[in-house]
Amino acid sequence: MIFITAKFRVRPEDADRWPEISRAFTEATRAEPGCLWFDWSRSLDDPTEYVLVEAFRDAEAGAAHVQSEHFRTAQRDLPPHLVATPRIVNTVLPQDDWSELGEMAVDRS
């Protein structure tokens, strides 16, 4: 899978509305057949920073994502709400889902 984490620094006046501002892009991306997940989190330390954790099945799914109409729309509509270019980590992993964090295993017996 292609695993991506990106940090978005949102303009302070738009930070509380970011989930709504990015909603159409989020929903359209989640509906892509090759999208494994596309999840936003807000920083506990900086209320203007949102972290996007996303994964796509393979390179073909990733390419379809960046070539989609909703991606092009997001390229146009989202940057005016940002204070900086998003920072990203992008890697390919030989798995297709989250692994368990064995060091914090929960005993359910």
Side-chain angles (χ1 to χ4, degrees), residues 61-76:
H65 171 62
V66 298
Q67 294 168 6
S68 68
E69 183 62 34
H70 57 271
F71 189 87
R72 285 191 294 280
T73 299
Q75 286 179 297
R76 181 193 68 226

Side-chain angles (χ1 to χ4, degrees), residues 1-3 36-37 56-58 91-99:
M1 76 173 153
I2 297 173
F3 183 82
L36 300 175
W37 59 80
F56 296 91
R57 182 186 59 242
D58 52 26
T91 191
V92 176
L93 298 174
Q95 61 192 72
D96 61 3
D97 202 354
W98 291 91
S99 300

Side-chain angles (χ1 to χ4, degrees), residues 7 17 21 30-31 34 44 52-53 56 61-62 64 68 72 74 77 79 85 87 89 98 102 107-108:
K7 289 187 174 190
R17 295 182 325 109
I21 291 167
R30 287 177 176 166
L44 297 176
L52 175 60
V53 179
F56 296 91
S68 68
R72 285 191 294 280
D77 293 349
T85 300
R87 296 177 303 150
V89 174
W98 291 91
D107 182 10
R108 298 279 185 208

